[in-house]
Amino acid sequence: HTCGVTGGRSSGVAVGSDLAGYRIEALIGRGGMGAVYRAEEAGLRRKVALKVIAPELAQDKRFRERFLRESQVAASLDHPHIVPIFKAGEEDGVLYLAMRYVEGRDLAQLVAEHGALEPRRAIELLSQVAEALDAAHEKGLVHRDVKPSNILITQSAGREHCYLADFGLTKRTGSLSGISAAGDIVGTLEYVAPEQIRGDPLDGRADVYSLGCVLYECLTGHAPFPR
């Protein structure tokens, strides 16, 4: 699944090559942080979504250390509505994150195709996301980028099952702020909480704000603050 990555920088990884025990099969999305590929894990023959971080970010020592540290914490999250992280690391200067490959589409695609959702359906979908956030917040983690394209939807036992993706950008409550470097806001402006833009200390309430913005978009068909 694209995991919310659209249009952006080159990652410098070629389809057909091997990275950290994964055979790259196809590009499925690009974004400001890099690219996401469908890959197969050697030995297990398991399909994964492999996020490869853009070289200009991977070369930043502060970013690299934070990414590896926070990916380890995110990998400890075990919840039915959180995309599992299998492995995170660095090989030959390339930063990567291997996650479960989710067949389906994301909430942004669903709203783009169908417009506003029926309220009951919107609540059923976002209640699952709220459960995922509760689990993360209990561990002191803040997602910081809750948005429709990070909410993956698949079918399970005849019903829609949601996964919250991109927990590789989480951070512990009270650590620094929503700004990862000078002037660099982590998050998506249509959904980001005001305190995150200001660079104030964050806790789980920033994610609840973003979830409220996502609910608004589900019910109306457009983001609450289009500017």
Side-chain angles (χ1 to χ4, degrees):
H1 201 288
T2 60
C3 295
V5 178
T6 56
R9 307 164 182 166
S10 169
S11 65
V13 176
V15 171
S17 64
D18 292 310
L19 176 66
Y22 298 98
R23 171 60 59 91
I24 308 295
E25 294 185 338
L27 174 69
I28 54 179
R30 288 194 184 279
M33 283 189 65
V36 178
Y37 298 87
R38 187 184 73 241
E40 184 174 278
E41 185 173 356
L44 295 177
R45 306 293 295 272
R46 175 172 61 180
K47 301 297 181 185
V48 303
L50 190 68
K51 174 171 284 190
V52 179
I53 303 303
E56 54 267 45
L57 291 175
Q59 292 166 8
D60 183 302
K61 181 180 178 181
R62 182 184 179 193
F63 177 91
R64 185 171 63 252
E65 291 176 350
R66 183 174 67 88
F67 173 83
L68 294 172
R69 180 178 64 252
E70 295 178 3
S71 293
Q72 290 175 348
V73 177
S76 70
L77 291 173
D78 182 14
H79 191 274
H81 297 297
I82 294 175
V83 175
I85 294 175
F86 299 139
K87 187 179 179 182
E90 180 178 5
E91 183 169 285
D92 297 328
V94 177
L95 278 180
Y96 66 89
L97 184 71
M99 302 165 283
R100 173 180 290 173
Y101 178 73
V102 178
E103 289 278 4
R105 56 183 171 177
D106 61 47
L107 184 60
Q109 293 169 325
L110 181 65
V111 173
E113 293 171 7
H114 299 284
L117 305 183
E118 193 271 331
R120 180 180 295 274
R121 185 184 187 189
I123 292 298
E124 287 177 350
L125 292 174
L126 294 191
S127 291
Q128 299 176 50
V129 180
E131 290 178 15
L133 288 173
D134 281 345
H137 296 164
E138 286 177 4
K139 286 206 169 191
L141 297 175
V142 184
H143 187 285
R144 292 188 296 175
D145 199 17
V146 177
K147 58 184 177 181
S149 59
N150 273 338
I151 297 169
L152 314 182
I153 305 171
T154 187
Q155 292 291 324
S156 177
R159 66 185 291 265
E160 290 179 309
H161 185 99
C162 284
Y163 289 97
L164 181 58
D166 253 2
F167 259 99
L169 278 179
T170 56
K171 74 189 304 181
R172 289 194 175 277
T173 299
S175 67
L176 299 179
S177 67
I179 299 180
S180 59
D184 181 15
I185 297 175
V186 175
T188 303
L189 287 177
E190 290 88 345
Y191 313 99
V192 71
E195 63 268 27
Q196 199 163 337
I197 295 174
R198 291 193 301 263
D200 294 343
L202 300 181
D203 58 30
R205 289 173 292 184
D207 288 340
V208 175
Y209 176 96
S210 298
L211 187 64
C213 292
V214 173
L215 176 60
Y216 181 100
E217 184 164 342
C218 287
L219 297 175
T220 66
H222 58 82
F225 306 111
R227 288 185 63 190

